[in-house]
Amino acid sequence: NAYIHLMIAQYYRENNNVSDALKSAKQALEVANQFEDFSMQADASRYLAECYLDSPGHGCVDEGLLLLRKTIALYTTHFSGLDTATLSTNDLLINALIKQEMYDEAMEELKAIK
């Protein structure tokens, strides 16, 4: 079950074990994709993105930003558009862009919110 993998990922992340958190979050996303559970796909994708953003590895930030964009696309395609989950994911994306000093991209994301 994807939810169980997310719970395990959360446990690892809370205990500063980013590597295992990434593995479990990836498994959650794989299971959600397998069953075409869009709600769980969005949750797993967002959590995996957060794990990537926490990870110091090369390319992890880029992967996290990409996953946040994919999560926003899932929310707006399969759900009610600009709900709380979408807005909070947009906020996470914009803050991550600012943290990476990608100010122009952050402004574009702000402008894209409708």
Side-chain angles (χ1 to χ4, degrees):
N1 180 319
Y3 182 73
I4 292 170
H5 288 295
L6 274 183
M7 295 297 292
I8 293 168
Q10 183 177 7
Y11 169 80
Y12 284 133
R13 187 171 174 217
E14 288 172 357
N15 288 287
N16 297 317
N17 187 340
V18 178
S19 176
D20 286 337
L22 279 167
K23 288 177 192 172
S24 293
K26 285 178 187 177
Q27 289 174 325
L29 185 56
E30 288 171 9
V31 171
N33 287 338
Q34 186 177 23
F35 291 100
E36 294 184 2
D37 181 341
F38 299 120
S39 178
M40 183 51 73
Q41 282 176 351
D43 290 345
S45 179
R46 179 188 165 132
Y47 199 79
L48 180 56
E50 290 179 40
C51 290
Y52 273 121
L53 292 172
D54 287 348
S55 181
H58 177 70
C60 287
V61 171
D62 291 338
E63 188 67 27
L65 295 173
L66 177 65
L67 279 167
L68 287 175
R69 288 185 173 107
K70 287 181 178 181
T71 303
I72 292 166
L74 266 173
Y75 284 137
T76 56
T77 302
H78 297 286
F79 303 104
S80 62
L82 286 180
D83 60 2
T84 304
T86 307
L87 290 172
S88 68
T89 305
N90 266 316
D91 185 54
L92 183 62
L93 174 60
I94 291 165
N95 285 326
L97 289 167
I98 290 169
K99 186 175 180 180
Q100 295 303 309
E101 298 181 4
M102 301 168 79
Y103 304 116
D104 290 340
E105 287 188 43
M107 284 303 294
E108 290 302 315
E109 293 295 333
L110 279 170
K111 291 176 188 176
I113 297 173
K114 296 177 185 174

